[in-house]
Amino acid sequence: MKYACVLGLTALVLATSIRADEQTIVLFGNFRGSLNAIDDPRCGAQSCLEQDDHKGISFRNNASILGLRGTRTRDNKTAYFKYILRAHNDEIFARGALSTIIYQAGLKGAWGDLSLGVGSTPYKASGMALDPFWDTSASARGFDGPTVGFSDLTWGFTKNMVQWNSAQLWETLTLSAAVVIDDTNADAHDINLGVQQRVGSVDVGLQFLSMSTSHPTAKSLRAGKAVRAWGRWSPAMPLTISTSIERIDYKANRERPDLDPLQLHYALTLVYKRNMNRWALALGRASAQEQPHLHGSGGSFGWFYQLMPGVELYALSSYNRRENGEPARRVSALGMLLNYAE
């Protein structure tokens, strides 16, 4: 039935797709897949604790998506919606072919961009923008985050979110704010505030997240506060150097004193582009003394080649090592990214 719905939706979109001055509707998405060689000490003979990972050689779906986007514009104001499904290429029999990850509606104008629905918090989005290995095999849950150096709050999709991003102020300053609504009787809502400033060839930013006892923000564990300070420097057009520092202060849990209330995450990334080639390096460290599974360091190195517009091939190698005596987890991968109808 689900396949019939998807095919019917696709046919409807293609049949009614219009591109006029005031409205558009677009079917879009991407395919992300890779052939991996994984050596993970946590993978036993029968199972692996990392979702979708298999010790040895395997194929991995790296968050391929199918989406529908519509806009209507009048008098410099734009109303839009966005609906995105994630394709489970390698779990089609266990979980179904597709699942909803994002659906949003919003308005854009001189005031900026105001949206509501399910999506990524500004806190998460700031980390995604710095990580050149996002949605590759290197980002397979490094110390409970997408890669080593980024916390678990840089992961997952948050529902019941009202989000605002300002238009660019004075050509250098951008503000963001989000309220994550708690739909339980507790009414304990989360707040996310952020700022980004450009100074010459340097972008700097700060994200603050206040988490309630109901933890409606994706991947928040309990009440507390998180701060990300980040910077991105492009001293020359081909080279970009980025850094992220996160401090997460959770309230102590009397029932679980082993849960460390303080987590620190550090990430450094370098990207160099030349013609159709892109080289990327990411180094990271996570610190949480009371939780060994969150304490360690790692890195990734990759070469990406743009075969044609919208098609990129890559080879990468990644590792992360926990400081509890456990052997390092290593991944080598050959992958492809194909975007369509961007």
Side-chain angles (χ1 to χ4, degrees):
M1 184 65 182
K2 185 173 287 187
Y3 291 110
C5 291
V6 172
L7 291 174
L9 177 62
T10 303
L12 179 63
V13 169
L14 295 177
T16 60
S17 180
I18 2 176
R19 197 166 275 281
D21 291 339
E22 294 188 350
Q23 61 184 16
T24 62
I25 187 164
V26 176
L27 184 70
F28 68 96
N30 61 49
F31 169 82
R32 296 175 181 269
S34 60
L35 183 66
N36 312 306
I38 298 176
D39 182 10
D40 192 332
R42 288 163 293 170
C43 290
Q46 301 296 326
S47 63
C48 182
L49 298 180
E50 299 291 347
Q51 182 181 355
D52 297 346
D53 280 0
H54 307 279
K55 190 172 183 179
I57 297 176
S58 63
F59 173 82
R60 181 184 175 91
N61 166 37
N62 299 306
S64 302
I65 62 168
L66 175 68
L68 183 67
R69 179 175 60 242
T71 64
R72 188 177 186 93
T73 302
R74 176 171 292 182
D75 299 330
N76 297 321
K77 295 184 287 292
T78 300
Y80 67 89
F81 75 88
K82 180 166 54 176
Y83 188 82
I84 298 179
L85 302 171
R86 172 166 290 171
H88 301 289
N89 311 38
D90 42 10
E91 294 189 67
I92 187 170
F93 300 110
R95 296 172 55 185
L98 299 166
S99 62
T100 303
I101 56 172
I102 292 177
Y103 57 93
Q104 290 179 321
L107 292 170
K108 291 182 181 180
W111 60 82
D113 183 346
L114 179 65
S115 66
L116 56 89
V118 178
S120 298
T121 62
Y123 188 101
K124 171 191 170 183
S126 64
M128 289 172 59
L130 303 176
D131 186 359
F133 295 96
W134 188 264
D135 282 345
T136 68
S137 295
S139 67
R141 303 290 289 180
F143 303 152
D144 277 357
T147 54
V148 177
F150 294 97
S151 76
D152 202 29
L153 295 170
T154 319
W155 193 265
F157 298 93
T158 298
K159 65 178 183 177
N160 302 331
M161 182 171 58
V162 181
Q163 182 175 179
W164 170 74
N165 293 292
S166 76
Q168 199 170 62
L169 307 173
W170 303 290
E171 300 183 349
T172 60
L173 181 67
T174 306
L175 306 177
S176 62
V179 178
V180 184
I181 299 171
D182 172 26
D183 55 6
T184 70
N185 293 334
D187 282 335
H189 314 303
D190 288 2
I191 306 294
N192 187 174
L193 301 173
V195 60
Q196 177 178 340
Q197 175 75 52
R198 183 166 185 81
V199 182
S201 60
V202 178
D203 287 288
V204 293
L206 190 68
Q207 287 287 334
F208 170 78
L209 178 62
S210 175
M211 297 168 286
S212 68
T213 53
S214 296
H215 49 81
T217 298
K219 305 303 179 182
S220 63
L221 299 177
R222 51 197 187 277
K225 295 177 173 57
V227 177
R228 183 201 305 279
W230 63 270
R232 182 169 50 222
W233 179 41
S234 301
M237 287 303 292
L239 178 65
T240 301
I241 303 172
S242 305
T243 185
S244 168
I245 301 174
E246 294 178 73
R247 179 187 174 96
I248 303 174
D249 292 292
Y250 284 118
K251 291 184 179 178
N253 189 330
R254 293 181 181 178
E255 298 178 357
R256 291 289 307 278
D258 58 312
L259 296 178
D260 200 311
L262 176 63
Q263 296 178 16
L264 300 173
H265 299 265
Y266 310 91
L268 174 68
T269 67
L270 294 87
V271 177
Y272 180 79
K273 296 181 180 180
R274 184 176 179 85
N275 300 324
M276 301 299 176
N277 298 282
R278 176 165 60 97
W279 291 269
L281 173 68
L283 301 174
R285 180 172 177 79
S287 174
Q289 294 289 351
E290 303 300 325
Q291 295 170 269
H293 69 285
L294 292 178
H295 195 66
S297 59
S300 301
F301 177 77
W303 167 65
F304 301 79
Y305 178 74
Q306 187 174 346
L307 183 65
M308 62 182 75
V311 179
E312 189 173 63
L313 307 177
Y314 65 82
L316 64 81
S317 180
S318 175
Y319 83 95
N320 57 59
R321 182 185 298 276
R322 303 173 196 270
E323 296 184 4
N324 59 355
E326 188 177 82
R329 175 184 185 273
R330 302 181 184 276
V331 177
S332 298
L334 299 174
M336 181 180 73
L337 164 63
L338 189 154
N339 284 309
Y340 59 91
E342 293 184 345

